[in-house]
C-alpha cells in the first residue's frame, strides 16, 4: 500500500484518540453500522482531501465499511494529526498522504497521490482536490505546484479528461470551498456535480458557529495561555463562524468588538450586544484579533501600524490570506518563535505583534479542531452525501447542490435522539392549518 505519514509508530496513540472521538459521534456511528450491513459504496473509489483529525478518521472508516476504497490527504499543511494518519494506515489499511508541517510541493504531491487512485467520488474541505482536477483538465497544474507538474506533466489531454470524466461527483465541507465552486459553476466551467455539505443546516448552524466558536478560543488559549477575561477581543466577520467566536469570547469575559462589511450582519452584531466599528479603529483597542471572513488581506498594514504593543493576531478562516503577513514582515525588523505556533514580530518603532499558527486556521493548528460532537453532524452529512452521489450522481448536472433536505432533517433527528431529547410533532389540525391560506382571524 502506498502512503506517506510521519511515523507509523504513533498509530496506537492515534487509535486511542480516534476511539475517544468516536464516543461523541453517535450519528456517524449509526450510519457506519448501516453502511457495514448494506455496503452502499461497494467498490467505489473515494478520494478525500480533509483536515486529518480524529473525526475525519472516523468518517474514513465509515466510508470504508460502506465498501468504498478510500484514500486521504490533508486539506491544510498544518492541521494534520500525525498519530491519526498513522492509525489509519496501520490499523485500518487506509492510504493516507499527510504530514503536519509539509511544504507546498509536498502538499500538492499528496493531492496527486489521491488523484492517482482515480476517485469516482471526492470529498474536499476548501476545494483543493476539485480545483486541482480542473487545473489538470486545462493543462495548468504547473501553476499550482511543480510536484503536480512532475506527476501529471507527461499525461495526454485525453488521459486528463478521462480522469475527470470518471468523477461522478464531489462534496465540499466549508464556506470558502463552496464560494470557489459556485464561482466555477457561474462561469459554466464546473465539470461534475458537487454537494455543498457546508450549506446543510446541520452543518453550518452548528459546526461553523459552535465548533469554530469553541475551538478557536481553544487554539488561542493552548498557544498563548493568556487570560481572556477583561481583554479586548476583536472578531473580523460576523458570519456563522464569527457569531460563534464572538459569543464564546464574551462568555470568557472578554469585551468583544465586531468588524463587518455587510450592513445586515453588522446590525445583527450590534443588536446581539457587541461593539461594532471599522477595523482601523478597533485595531488601536484590541488585545486579541481573530479573522473569520473567508476574505483576503482583512488585517493589513494600516491596522498593524496602529496596534498596541503585544497585540495577538490569529485567523480561523479557511485560507492563510486573511492576515497580510507579507506586509507585517515588511514592517518588521525581526521575528522569532516564542512558543509553538507563536511568532513575535518586532516593528521598527519597537512594538511587538504576535501572530498565531502562521496565520492558518488557529483552531486546527494550535488545538485539535472542532469537538467531535459537532463534527458528528458535519460528517454524517458527508457520509450521506457520498451515498447520495453514488446512487443519484449520474442524474445530476455539473452544478453546486444542497444536501437533500430530508437527509439534513434525518441527521438532526438522530442527533436529538442520541442526546435523549424528544420533541413534539404536528397534530393533523396543525398540519392542515400550517399548509392552508383560508383560515385568518
Ligand atoms: P460567512 O459567509 O457566514 O461569514 C463571513 C462574514 O465575513 C460575512 O458576514 C462577510 O460579510 C464578512 N466579511 C467579509 N469580508 C470582510 C472584511 N474585510 N471585514 C469584515 N468582515 C468581512 O462564512 P462562515 O461560514 O462564517 O466562514 C468564514 C470562514 O471560516 C470561511 O473561510 C470558512 O471556510 C471558514 N471556516 C473555518 C472553520 C474552522 O474550523 N476554523 C470552520 C468553518 C468555516
Amino acid at each position: 500500500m502506498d502512503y506517506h505519514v510521519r511515523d507509523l509508530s504513533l498509530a496506537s496513540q492515534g487509535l486511542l484518540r480516534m476511539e475517544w472521538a468516536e464516543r461523541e459521534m453517535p450519528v456517524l456511528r449509526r450510519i457506519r453500522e448501516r453502511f457495514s450491513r448494506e455496503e452502499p459504496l461497494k467498490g467505489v473509489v473515494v478520494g478525500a482531501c480533509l483536515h486529518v483529525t480524529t473525526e475525519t478518521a472516523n468518517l474514513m472508516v465509515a466510508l470504508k465499511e460502506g465498501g468504498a476504497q478510500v484514500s486521504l490527504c490533508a486539506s491544510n499543511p498544518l492541521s494534520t494529526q500525525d498519530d491519526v494518519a498513522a492509525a489509519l494506515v496501520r490499523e485500518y489499511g487506509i492510504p493516507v498522504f499527510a504530514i503536519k508541517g509539509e511544504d507546498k510541493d509536498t502538499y500538492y504531491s499528496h493531492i496527486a497521490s489521491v488523484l492517482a487512485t482515480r476517485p469516482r467520488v471526492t470529498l474536499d474541505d476548501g476545494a483543493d482536490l476539485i480545483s486541482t482536477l480542473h487545473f489538470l483538465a486545462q493543462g495548468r497544474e504547473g501553476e499550482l505546484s511543480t510536484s503536480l507538474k512532475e506527476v501529471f506533466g507527461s499525461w495526454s489531454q485525453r488521459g486528463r479528461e478521462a480522469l475527470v470524466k470518471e468523477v461522478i461527483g464531489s462534496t465540499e465541507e466549508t464556506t470558502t470551498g463552496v464560494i470557489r465552486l459556485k464561482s466555477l459553476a457561474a462561469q459554466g466551467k464546473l465539470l461534475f456535480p458537487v454537494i455543498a455539505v457546508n450549506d446543510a443546516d446541520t452543518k453550518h448552524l452548528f459546526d461553523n458557529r459552535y465548533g469554530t466558536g469553541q475551538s478557536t478560543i481553544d487554539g488561542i488559549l493552548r498557544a498563548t495561555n493568556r487570560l481572556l477575561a477583561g481583554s479586548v477581543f476583536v472578531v473580523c466577520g460576523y458570519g456563522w463562524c464569527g457569531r460563534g467566536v464572538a459569543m464564546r469570547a464574551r462568555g470568557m469575559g472578554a469585551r468583544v468588538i465586531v468588524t463587518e462589511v455587510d450592513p445586515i450582519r453588522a446590525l445583527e452584531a450590534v443588536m446581539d450586544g457587541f461593539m461594532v466599528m471599522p477595523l482601523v479603529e478597533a485595531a488601536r483597542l484590541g488585545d486579541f484579533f481573530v479573522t473569520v471572513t473567508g476574505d483576503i488581506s482583512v488585517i493589513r498594514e494600516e491596522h498593524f501600524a496602529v496596534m498596541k504593543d503585544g497585540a495577538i493576531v490569529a485567523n480561523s478562516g479557511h485560507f492563510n490570506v486573511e492576515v497580510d503577513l507579507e506586509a507585517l514582515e515588511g514592517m518588521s525588523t525581526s521575528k522569532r518563535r516564542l512558543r509553538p505556533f507563536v511568532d513575535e514580530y518586532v516593528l521598527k518603532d519597537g512594538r511587538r505583534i504576535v501572530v498565531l499558527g502562521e496565520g492558518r486556521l488557529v483552531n486546527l493548528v494550535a488545538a485539535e479542531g472542532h469537538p467531535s460532537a459537532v463534527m458528528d453532524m458535519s460528517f454524517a452529512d458527508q457520509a450521506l452525501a457520498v451515498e447520495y452521489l453514488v446512487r443519484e450522481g449520474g442524474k445530476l448536472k455539473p452544478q453546486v447542490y444542497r444536501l437533500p433536505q430530508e437527509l439534513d432533517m434525518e441527521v438532526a433527528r438522530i442527533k436529538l435522539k442520541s442526546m435523549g431529547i424528544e420533541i413534539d410533532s404536528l397534530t393533523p389540525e396543525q398540519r392542515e392549518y400550517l399548509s392552508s391560506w383560508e383560515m385568518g382571524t
Side-chain angles (χ1 to χ4, degrees):
M1 183 177 79
D2 198 15
Y3 63 86
H4 192 201
V5 300
R6 182 172 304 281
D7 179 0
L8 276 190
S9 73
L10 299 171
S12 326
Q13 182 191 318
L15 193 64
L16 286 174
R17 290 182 57 245
M18 276 175 68
E19 181 192 322
W20 179 248
E22 200 279 336
R23 288 186 199 177
E24 287 284 286
M25 305 183 82
V27 186
L28 186 65
R29 184 182 315 137
R30 249 178 92 142
I31 294 171
R32 194 194 70 223
E33 286 164 358
R34 178 172 66 75
F35 274 13
S36 197
R37 285 192 308 274
E38 299 174 2
E39 296 202 316
L41 315 177
K42 195 162 187 174
V44 180
V45 180
V46 173
C49 176
L50 300 169
H51 298 296
V52 181
T53 63
T54 51
E55 295 80 16
T56 299
N58 283 308
L59 171 63
M60 293 300 107
V61 172
L63 298 177
K64 186 170 179 179
E65 288 199 17
Q69 291 171 38
V70 210
S71 64
L72 171 67
C73 62
S75 59
N76 183 297
L78 273 184
S79 62
T80 297
Q81 298 171 5
D82 290 317
D83 55 348
V84 171
L88 278 176
V89 172
R90 201 180 74 183
E91 307 294 331
Y92 292 95
I94 293 177
V96 179
F97 306 88
I99 293 177
K100 184 162 180 143
E102 62 198 17
D103 63 19
K104 190 177 161 200
D105 271 341
T106 313
Y107 177 81
Y108 276 104
S109 76
H110 288 161
I111 287 187
S113 298
V114 167
L115 291 180
T117 67
R118 309 190 79 94
R120 306 223 51 217
V121 175
T122 72
L123 293 82
D124 248 314
D125 187 328
D128 278 350
L129 210 52
I130 302 180
S131 62
T132 302
L133 277 167
H134 283 72
F135 271 83
L136 273 173
Q138 296 174 15
R140 294 172 54 203
E141 68 279 1
E143 291 174 34
L144 294 175
S145 107
T146 49
S147 55
L148 282 175
K149 187 90 199 152
E150 274 162 28
V151 178
F152 294 105
S154 59
W155 281 42
S156 66
Q157 186 56 25
R158 191 182 288 182
R160 291 152 183 267
E161 278 166 18
L163 184 70
V164 174
K165 271 207 186 90
E166 283 165 21
V167 179
I168 311 169
S170 298
T171 69
E172 172 50 52
E173 169 79 4
T174 197
T175 315
T176 284
V178 171
I179 291 171
R180 295 177 78 189
L181 296 169
K182 284 186 177 161
S183 126
L184 202 54
Q187 292 174 16
K189 291 184 182 156
L190 186 63
L191 297 170
F192 38 76
V194 178
I195 307 237
V197 168
N198 182 72
D199 294 357
D201 287 338
T202 45
K203 201 284 184 179
H204 65 267
L205 279 170
F206 302 93
D207 169 315
N208 300 30
R209 184 164 40 172
Y210 303 109
T212 313
Q214 178 168 319
S215 62
T216 299
I217 302 293
D218 186 16
I220 293 170
L221 295 185
R222 288 199 208 189
T224 65
N225 194 28
R226 283 286 169 85
L227 182 70
L228 291 191
S231 69
V232 177
F233 194 107
V234 180
V235 180
C236 305
Y238 201 64
W240 292 107
C241 295
R243 291 176 182 112
V245 175
M247 171 171 59
R248 292 300 177 240
R250 174 157 68 188
M252 296 288 283
R255 289 171 288 160
V256 179
I257 300 174
V258 168
T259 74
E260 252 298 344
V261 291
D262 176 329
I264 297 174
R265 295 264 167 105
L267 198 54
E268 190 184 348
V270 172
M271 297 212 184
D272 283 346
F274 296 107
M275 289 177 281
V276 175
M277 63 185 74
L279 181 54
V280 75
E281 286 173 33
R284 296 175 188 282
L285 308 173
D287 299 301
F288 295 89
F289 295 82
V290 176
T291 50
V292 258
T293 66
D295 198 357
I296 193 166
S297 300
V298 176
I299 299 184
R300 49 187 185 269
E301 185 161 358
E302 66 198 86
H303 307 117
F304 294 128
V306 295
M307 280 184 188
K308 293 198 283 199
D309 178 36
I312 293 174
V313 177
N315 167 52
S316 212
H318 187 77
F319 283 118
N320 59 337
V321 296
E322 304 209 15
V323 179
D324 187 351
L325 288 181
E326 219 171 285
L328 185 57
E329 296 265 357
M331 299 166 77
S332 305
T333 53
S334 66
K335 173 186 168 186
R336 61 181 175 145
R337 178 147 296 180
L338 282 174
R339 293 158 57 95
F341 315 118
V342 179
D343 292 333
E344 178 187 75
Y345 292 76
V346 180
L347 306 189
K348 288 170 190 136
D349 61 9
R351 277 177 308 120
R352 294 159 299 179
I353 309 268
V354 174
V355 175
L356 305 185
E358 299 172 28
R360 295 190 185 274
L361 295 153
V362 70
N363 61 331
L364 279 142
V365 173
E368 294 168 73
H370 294 359
S372 315
V374 85
M375 293 315 293
D376 186 27
M377 286 190 281
S378 307
F379 285 167
D381 289 334
Q382 283 281 6
L384 295 178
V386 171
E387 184 185 31
Y388 179 76
L389 281 171
V390 169
R391 206 179 53 234
E392 308 284 341
K395 298 180 204 152
L396 302 177
K397 297 195 180 78
Q399 287 171 5
V400 179
Y401 290 87
R402 270 191 76 135
L403 187 71
Q405 206 189 357
E406 63 275 13
L407 299 181
D408 208 353
M409 291 291 233
E410 182 61 13
V411 168
R413 224 174 268 124
I414 306 173
K415 188 71 177 175
L416 277 171
K417 204 168 166 200
S418 75
M419 296 166 89
I421 294 167
E422 293 190 14
I423 60 169
D424 291 324
S425 43
L426 293 171
T427 64
E429 183 196 18
Q430 288 169 339
R431 190 164 295 118
E432 194 189 334
Y433 178 77
L434 290 174
S435 58
S436 68
W437 61 273
E438 287 98 340
M439 278 185 264
T441 45

